[in-house]
Amino acid sequence: MNDLITTVTDGFTSRFDAAPAGLWSAPGRVNLIGEHTDYNDGFVFPFAINRRTVVALSLRDDRLLRVASSFAAETVELPLDDLTPENLAGWSAYPLGVAWALSQFGADLTAVPGFDVFIDSDVPIGAGLSSSAAIESAVAVALNDLWQLGLDRRVLARVGQLAENRAVGAPTGIMDQSASLLGEADAAVFLDCRSLEAEVIPLGFDAAGLELLIIDTRVSHAHSTGGYASRRASCELGARMLGVTSLRDLTVDDLARAADVLDDETFRRVRHVVTENQRVLDTVRTLRAQGPTAIGDLLDASHLSMRDDFEISVPELDLAVETARGAGAIGARMTGGGFGGAAIALTPSALIPQVTAAVIAAFAAQGFGVPDLFVVRAADGAGRQE
Ligand code: ADP
Ligand code: MG
């Protein structure tokens, strides 16, 4: 973090010939459990991680917007009066999209000054840890402060989501921004995707000596676009045939009826979502009652459900999960949309080296590409840097 503070300050000063007015940062996130439940109005349980995007920002005397990033050579400039989603493209659509989206939540863009912003980050891009929510949330808290908007964090999460939906054009839900804005150290965000109610739940990983190991398979999400769309379609079909608004309205007690009404494939898609929602509720309850060492079985069951019922795993993810479990992780599952990406393994701290070595060896033995393994901790959400 100290390195990032130095590089972002230096980057701002060298691009804009002045020191920034302040620094703000926001974390990436990982989803502990609750996969493909968000668009079914269900439950998710992500946490903010100790990898952050930092923005250095100053207001200007005029109405020009200038955005720069360590990630790109160019400095993008746009007059505030030209700020519409249609005018945005490329990486700068994330920060500028947030500036625009604030106008949809009460900011009067005809009355605010322009700004210069420089962005740096140690959230890996495209690894499923939501570098996109990190950049959106960091810019959102910075502008909320300097434009003196007084918006609360739940509104800022919707601002980030709107930027991603309209300016970037990605039809994502509100999970990532909620985790990035509402997260707290050693805690996760229990989010109801229907009511948008969010509750911070202590994880207790530190006291239990547990860490979350990310196993990035580096398999790219080759079928993800088509696979994602077809899974969503199956969920909508299942809900329609069962006469409910969304699969959120079903419980495990409805599954017997679902098995009678639905074809086998649709039934298994529905069963994943219904049981996954229950597993999120069970995870929150188990954490409260017994602590984190008791949630391993729920993580394992989530993986099997994605592998067998939702059919979104790949051999690399299955191997990562099985090997991590065999080497001492207390629970493991693929995380994210599927068809590649990362798995997570809840692991006693002392066993991290042995689980890491076992996974690397297993991948080599299968002739798979070299995975990237690293530990993440649950960290505080977005805010101003002291
Ligand atoms: P992720 O899973 O990391 O969220 P996305 O495709 O949703 O992947 O978002 C990644 C995109 O966000 C990048 O391609 C880039 O356009 C933008 N982005 C993320 N971090 C930065 C950064 N530090 N500087 C500039 N753009 C960034
Ligand atoms: Mg993203």
Side-chain angles (χ1 to χ4, degrees):
M1 199 55 199
N2 288 336
D3 285 356
L4 269 179
I5 287 170
T6 308
T7 57
V8 80
T9 307
D10 292 351
F12 185 97
T13 308
S14 74
R15 294 275 183 119
F16 300 123
D17 288 324
L23 305 184
W24 291 258
S25 75
R29 66 94 189 93
V30 65
N31 191 20
L32 187 59
I33 195 162
E35 222 66 75
H36 286 263
T37 45
D38 57 346
Y39 55 81
N40 290 298
D41 280 354
F43 305 109
V44 293
F45 196 44
F47 64 78
I49 60 172
N50 57 328
R51 300 274 193 124
R52 300 181 82 85
T53 296
V54 185
V55 303
L57 200 143
S58 285
L59 295 181
R60 298 172 55 86
D61 298 331
D62 59 14
R63 291 185 32 88
L64 186 62
L65 307 176
R66 296 196 295 179
V67 294
S69 166
S70 59
F71 168 98
E74 83 275 13
T75 299
V76 176
E77 300 195 6
L78 188 76
L80 246 171
D81 296 308
D82 296 342
L83 184 60
T84 61
E86 295 71 34
N87 282 344
L88 304 178
W91 68 269
S92 65
Y94 292 83
L96 293 174
V98 167
W100 167 79
L102 286 165
S103 71
Q104 306 300 299
F105 289 88
D108 179 2
L109 293 193
T110 64
V112 293
F115 58 76
D116 292 333
V117 62
F118 186 85
I119 300 155
D120 202 353
S121 179
D122 66 4
V123 185
I125 288 175
L129 298 176
S130 205
S131 69
S132 55
I135 188 173
E136 290 153 5
S137 302
V139 172
V141 289
L143 291 177
N144 190 46
D145 277 359
L146 288 189
W147 279 350
Q148 301 182 354
L149 302 174
L151 299 174
D152 76 31
R153 280 154 186 276
R154 283 153 212 261
V155 174
L156 294 180
R158 292 168 63 201
V159 166
Q161 182 195 12
L162 185 66
E164 189 141 352
N165 294 166
R166 288 286 308 281
V168 178
T172 50
I174 202 165
M175 167 168 79
D176 301 354
Q177 294 82 4
S178 299
S180 184
L181 282 152
L182 302 174
E184 293 179 16
D186 204 20
V189 180
F190 172 44
L191 182 67
D192 179 335
C193 297
R194 172 170 274 171
S195 68
L196 301 186
E197 259 172 65
E199 190 180 354
V200 176
I201 310 282
L203 287 168
F205 287 0
D206 293 351
L210 292 172
E211 292 189 291
L212 197 76
L213 183 64
I214 307 271
I215 307 165
D216 180 2
T217 65
R218 290 189 166 133
V219 175
S220 73
H221 310 38
H223 306 291
S224 60
T225 314
Y228 182 82
S230 83
R231 296 308 180 282
R232 280 191 83 135
S234 292
C235 292
E236 281 162 26
L237 174 66
R240 198 162 57 241
M241 292 193 66
L242 293 163
V244 291
T245 310
S246 75
L247 297 182
R248 159 66 181 277
D249 298 311
L250 301 175
T251 70
V252 286
D253 294 337
D254 296 307
L255 288 174
R257 178 172 68 95
D260 291 339
V261 173
L262 304 175
D263 66 273
D264 173 64
E265 184 183 283
T266 307
F267 171 67
R268 286 184 294 111
R269 305 297 188 247
V270 167
R271 183 166 61 183
H272 165 70
V273 173
V274 171
T275 57
E276 185 78 352
N277 274 330
Q278 187 60 49
R279 280 185 290 271
V280 176
L281 298 174
D282 289 346
T283 299
V284 171
R285 183 157 19 104
T286 302
L287 276 171
R288 284 180 168 138
Q290 292 165 268
T293 50
I295 67 169
D297 292 349
L298 291 161
L299 302 181
D300 293 345
S302 173
H303 185 75
L304 295 184
S305 179
M306 287 188 281
R307 186 189 71 183
D308 300 335
D309 275 355
F310 222 57
E311 296 183 280
I312 54 172
S313 191
V314 292
E316 289 86 347
L317 286 168
D318 293 338
L319 183 66
V321 164
E322 282 154 26
T323 308
R325 286 289 280 113
I330 67 166
R333 56 183 286 272
M334 55 155 284
T335 184
F339 308 102
I344 56 174
L346 186 60
T347 307
S349 302
L351 300 184
I352 293 282
Q354 110 184 22
V355 171
T356 302
V359 171
I360 289 172
F363 271 56
Q366 286 292 316
F368 292 161
V370 182
D372 188 19
L373 292 95
F374 52 96
V375 164
V376 291
R377 274 183 298 283
D380 282 327
R384 188 166 190 156
Q385 290 303 130
E386 295 311 318

